[in-house]
Amino acid sequence: MEGVGAADALLRSRGRSAELGAWVVGVAFGREGRVCAFGLGDGTVRLAAPGQPAEEWRTVAAHPEGACLALCADAKDGALSGGDDGRLVRVAPDGAAEELARYGRKWVEHVAAHESGVRAAAVGKAVHLLDGAGRPLKSLAHPSSVGGVAFDARGKRVAASHYNGCSLWFVAAREDKPRVLEWKGSHGAIAISPDGAHVVTAMQENALHGWRLADGQHMRMSGYPSKTRSLCFTARGRWLATSGAESVVLWPFFGGGPMGKAPTELAGGDGVPCTAVACHPQQEVVAAGFADGLVVIAEVASGRVVPVAAPGRGPVSALAWNAAGTALAFGTETGFAGLVDLSKR
Amino acid sequence: MSETRNAADPRAQIPVTVLTGYLGAGKTTLLNRILTENHGRKFAVVINEFGELGVDNDLVVDADEEVFEMNNGCICCTVRGDLIRIIGGLMKRRGRFDGIIVETTGLADPAPVAQTFFADEDVRRATKLDAIVTVVDAKHLPARLADSPEAEEQIAFADIVVLNKMDLVTPEEAAEVERRIRAINPWAEIRRATRADVPIESVIGRDAFSLERILEREPEFLAGENEHEHDSDVVSLSFEVERPIDPERFNAWITQLLATRGQDLLRTKGILHYQGEDRRFAFQAVHMLADGDFVGPWREGEPRRSRIVFIGRDLNRPVLRRGFEACQVDDPQAAGNEVARRGPDRA
């Protein structure tokens, strides 16, 4: 058990943790920097104050009759939560919950927001876009249920994955006609590279599929022992970090890659699947969570791994950095959550 | 890192009951009966959008029945994508219900639902298929069997058939409709009912897909049925062999068989006596998705015979029988004779 204690050093000395009692579905720091929000399977959103470990975490009844299914940072501040009660709810930094939209009995399964003020909620086959004031902008229809949604870095385009590919829409288009990127199968988690040149999805068949938008070139990234649930590009887009293997698998998106290139693997060797990844907002550093609850930070260039939280608290299901890259938050399927201050002292 | 790392998830799998049946057979009546009876259990109910009647339950999820093909080179390997997502979502609020009931549309092919529980790792980890319950209308089943392949498939896939609306048929009609059901699926348990009034325990908590329970029920093949001309496309065949099975031969045979004939083989179940093994090997497949494991020792005095049952279309009895028979280890008797016959030649 000595190893476990050492792995918890950062959490103990520079963090705060709690047993929240329900599946941690998502975690996000408000863009204003004052709040860290955990979305839970019991329908609540818990708010922690980064940098103020003494302050009590607050509980917001975001989905009183249901479960939170997705959570992200809202456009300006606070967090955006989608629930199985059909509601899209904004949680302000002060803890006030505001219903932005209600979609009947359908689930709000995926949410995304961009600092320019636009928000997206995936409900069944539709992606609803809302403006900064919460007014509906448009509803984008897809041929089948949406498995993931993401904005590009500038907030100009939104991508939605579904069966047999994904659709790329211009947020401000007068006439909504998507560019459909086709590939047979069921597509889930989705990411757009920071330079807007590539779209990548995670598939049902333990593989990723990517498209180079300039020429439609397909990219197949396979070899995962389990499904990839989490994927993100590093800050400058050189690497795509992914979960689903017994290490953090990073695909090179430079020097002609990822076609014909082998991925880099970090923090492997324990035979435990990686379940969540989050890329540092500025540096080539990746945080990763594993199926046994271990949370680490790894530097891509050196391969150096620093443990943040010890194993033993359930599969890591949520992981996020704050915008400054000075704090990391995580949560697990069994309801353990942590917030660690990583700023220079 | 330390040796204390362990990814095993000790939490129990949530049982899932799949409710199928043709439009008007009484599926929703059975569903409401299960939900309203005072059994102290809470269910999450997944219904299709075109349900016949309202469902009275706290947790009801609308499903779209989105079926897609897995990219694993098998055209029959279709799964319910919506179910994968719904179960994923329901797991986030686990602890608030004891089981899941999935109602399918009347025209649904049950295979994609069943295959979802074999093919998706997350669904497998979180849930277990408890039973496929098919509700049929005793009066109208013969007509349905004549005009819709789905009605046959729903019976072929069933662990339990609720033979409903018994008040509308004569004893002769009832006997005939049971004969038709048996001819398609000899191991399904038939429960006669009026207004779907079956005991809840007969349809919930059956664990019918557990390998331990395979062939626990003797398939009820009707006497002489094997020689009959079949009055439906879907038939069942059962084979039994005496000598132990050679695992390598069986694997090679069944893999090839499921790969080439998986589309026509709806369900396959087997209990095998592997050579030199004191435990029984249980095997099951839904189309070409298979699952098998050792399920404990042979019982005292139980004859160690291997048996396999197929339910499917266009099944070639002699070919399947010869294939299964060839999976046995070589007959020592025959081998002995061979040596004896050769003996004098060598001398």
Side-chain angles (χ1 to χ4, degrees):
Chain A
M1 293 301 285
E2 231 174 277
V4 172
D8 250 358
L10 271 178
L11 183 61
R12 271 205 315 259
S13 62
R14 312 190 56 150
R16 165 127 183 207
S17 62
E19 290 286 353
L20 302 180
W23 190 303
V24 183
V25 172
V27 61
F29 288 85
R31 290 180 213 270
E32 82 297 333
R34 285 188 290 128
V35 71
C36 170
F38 297 89
L40 302 189
D42 66 4
T44 65
V45 171
R46 309 294 174 97
L47 296 180
Q52 313 205 6
E55 202 169 303
E56 282 300 310
W57 293 12
R58 288 165 291 163
T59 300
V60 181
H63 308 278
E65 300 296 318
C68 170
L69 294 179
L71 180 128
C72 69
D74 196 7
K76 289 284 175 251
D77 58 9
L80 199 58
S81 172
D84 67 1
D85 56 355
R87 298 166 73 233
L88 178 68
V89 175
R90 166 182 152 70
V91 177
D94 66 2
E98 178 196 355
E99 178 181 298
L100 297 182
R102 183 186 280 266
Y103 302 103
R105 248 163 62 175
K106 293 269 186 187
W107 293 2
V108 181
E109 288 185 84
H110 307 282
V111 294
H114 189 268
E115 59 194 345
S116 63
V118 63
R119 293 129 159 182
V123 182
K125 296 174 187 173
V127 171
H128 302 286
L129 296 184
L130 296 88
D131 70 9
R135 287 184 298 258
L137 287 173
K138 53 179 71 172
S139 286
L140 307 170
H142 300 88
S144 58
S145 292
V146 172
V149 61
F151 284 105
D152 71 3
R154 294 186 300 152
K156 302 285 186 204
R157 287 179 296 183
V158 62
S161 62
H162 42 77
Y163 296 142
N164 301 326
C166 65
S167 296
L168 202 54
W169 308 81
F170 279 100
V171 171
R174 198 162 297 175
E175 201 179 333
D176 290 315
K177 204 170 170 296
R179 175 168 175 196
V180 180
L181 304 168
E182 291 184 0
W183 189 257
K184 196 167 163 265
S186 175
H187 301 256
I190 186 166
I192 305 177
S193 62
D195 62 0
H198 302 98
V199 175
V200 181
T201 62
M203 299 196 64
Q204 170 75 23
E205 292 84 6
N206 303 347
L208 308 181
H209 196 83
W211 295 266
R212 188 164 65 200
L213 296 180
D215 57 1
Q217 166 81 46
H218 289 279
M219 297 172 263
R220 299 171 70 175
M221 290 155 272
S222 57
Y224 291 86
S226 62
K227 252 191 265 184
T228 294
R229 268 184 225 104
S230 175
L231 72 175
C232 61
F233 281 94
T234 53
R236 277 163 289 147
R238 280 165 49 85
W239 300 93
L240 175 72
T242 61
S243 73
E246 289 170 357
S247 63
V248 183
V249 172
L250 295 119
W251 297 91
F253 275 70
F254 54 89
M259 282 78 77
K261 303 263 167 136
T264 290
E265 296 185 44
L266 295 177
D270 287 343
V272 178
C274 173
T275 53
V277 290
C279 294
H280 189 279
Q282 287 91 32
Q283 295 160 24
E284 277 186 358
V285 167
V286 182
F290 289 81
D292 60 358
L294 177 77
V295 178
V296 302
I297 307 170
E299 191 178 50
V300 180
S302 66
R304 201 165 71 96
V305 176
V306 177
V308 173
R313 293 137 171 169
V316 176
S317 51
L319 193 60
W321 291 93
N322 67 347
T326 54
L328 181 73
F330 66 92
T332 72
E333 291 183 10
T334 52
F336 184 79
L339 171 57
V340 182
D341 177 12
L342 298 166
S343 59
K344 288 206 176 93
R345 282 186 180 168
Chain B
M1 216 144 293
S2 75
E3 285 170 29
T4 54
R5 296 196 67 182
N6 177 12
D9 186 350
R11 289 171 301 175
Q13 293 164 305
I14 305 268
V16 181
T17 305
V18 176
L19 213 49
T20 76
Y22 224 73
L23 215 64
K27 217 169 21 179
T28 311
T29 309
L30 176 60
L31 179 57
N32 276 325
R33 194 175 274 276
I34 295 169
L35 295 175
T36 53
E37 203 149 291
N38 187 18
H39 42 57
R41 273 174 289 186
K42 281 197 208 127
F43 294 99
V45 179
V46 181
I47 59 168
N48 64 75
E49 288 176 299
F50 311 101
E52 300 153 61
L53 300 165
V55 174
D56 183 23
N57 197 50
D58 287 342
L59 188 48
V60 178
V61 188
D62 280 326
D64 292 322
E65 302 210 342
E66 288 181 331
V67 173
F68 75 90
E69 232 173 78
M70 295 277 290
N71 284 330
N72 57 2
C74 163
I75 52 164
C76 57
C77 188
T78 48
V79 298
R80 284 268 304 270
D82 60 320
L83 208 51
I84 295 174
R85 285 201 323 279
I86 287 168
I87 286 174
L90 285 174
M91 284 311 117
K92 309 220 159 101
R93 53 195 282 170
R94 66 185 300 154
R96 290 204 252 169
F97 54 88
D98 310 296
I100 300 172
I101 302 174
V102 179
E103 184 197 30
T104 70
T105 55
L107 281 167
D109 169 4
V113 185
Q115 290 179 157
T116 303
F117 292 86
F118 284 76
D120 186 81
E121 61 182 87
D122 298 327
V123 171
R124 272 183 92 131
R125 184 165 71 114
T127 64
K128 59 174 179 180
L129 192 49
D130 185 66
I132 296 177
V133 179
T134 298
V135 185
V136 301
D137 176 335
K139 183 84 183 166
H140 295 108
L141 183 67
R144 291 288 80 78
L145 288 177
D147 67 16
S148 95
E150 292 85 5
E152 269 187 339
E153 271 160 11
Q154 289 169 358
I155 290 173
F157 272 91
D159 300 293
I160 297 125
V161 174
V162 175
L163 186 55
N164 198 26
K165 307 199 180 183
M166 285 299 295
D167 51 335
L168 301 181
V169 294
T170 63
E172 294 74 30
E173 284 174 314
E176 169 60 13
V177 85
E178 279 206 5
R179 190 193 67 80
R180 295 288 301 271
I181 294 168
R182 290 259 168 270
I184 296 168
N185 183 341
W187 78 63
E189 191 177 312
I190 300 177
R191 288 274 176 170
R192 294 185 175 200
T194 299
R195 282 179 295 281
D197 58 345
V198 291
I200 302 305
E201 317 79 70
S202 67
V203 288
I204 296 286
R206 299 305 308 271
D207 211 13
F209 273 80
S210 121
L211 284 169
E212 279 82 13
R213 300 203 51 175
I214 285 179
L215 300 190
E216 195 173 85
R217 269 178 62 77
E218 288 287 311
E220 293 183 32
F221 286 99
L222 296 174
E225 181 61 35
N226 294 345
E227 314 307 323
H228 269 211
E229 259 182 58
H230 292 287
D231 42 17
S232 64
D233 283 352
V234 178
V235 297
S236 53
L237 298 176
S238 171
F239 305 105
E240 193 173 89
V241 294
E242 299 278 343
R243 293 201 308 279
I245 296 290
D246 178 330
E248 274 180 35
R249 287 180 189 173
F250 176 75
N251 279 335
W253 173 66
I254 200 76
T255 303
Q256 167 73 10
L257 183 66
L258 294 178
T260 54
R261 301 295 318 280
Q263 241 181 319
D264 291 328
L265 292 166
L266 305 181
R267 279 184 85 170
T268 306
K269 293 188 185 189
I271 285 282
L272 308 175
H273 173 212
Y274 276 172
Q275 169 82 331
E277 182 57 66
D278 285 330
R279 294 169 301 166
R280 295 170 300 170
F281 188 86
F283 171 88
Q284 67 178 325
V286 172
H287 286 302
M288 74 168 295
L289 293 176
D291 184 19
D293 204 351
F294 290 103
V295 292
W298 292 90
R299 279 183 279 270
E300 198 78 29
E302 183 182 13
R304 295 190 177 188
R305 291 196 201 102
S306 300
R307 187 164 57 172
I308 195 158
V309 183
F310 298 99
I311 293 183
R313 293 197 171 86
D314 301 325
L315 303 185
N316 187 323
R317 172 182 289 277
V319 168
L320 289 172
R321 182 200 286 122
R322 280 198 300 272
F324 188 48
E325 283 172 355
C327 295
Q328 297 175 100
V329 297
D330 294 328
D331 188 348
Q333 202 94 41
N337 290 342
E338 196 96 330
V339 171
R341 221 175 36 243
R342 279 194 197 150
D345 291 344
R346 280 201 199 130

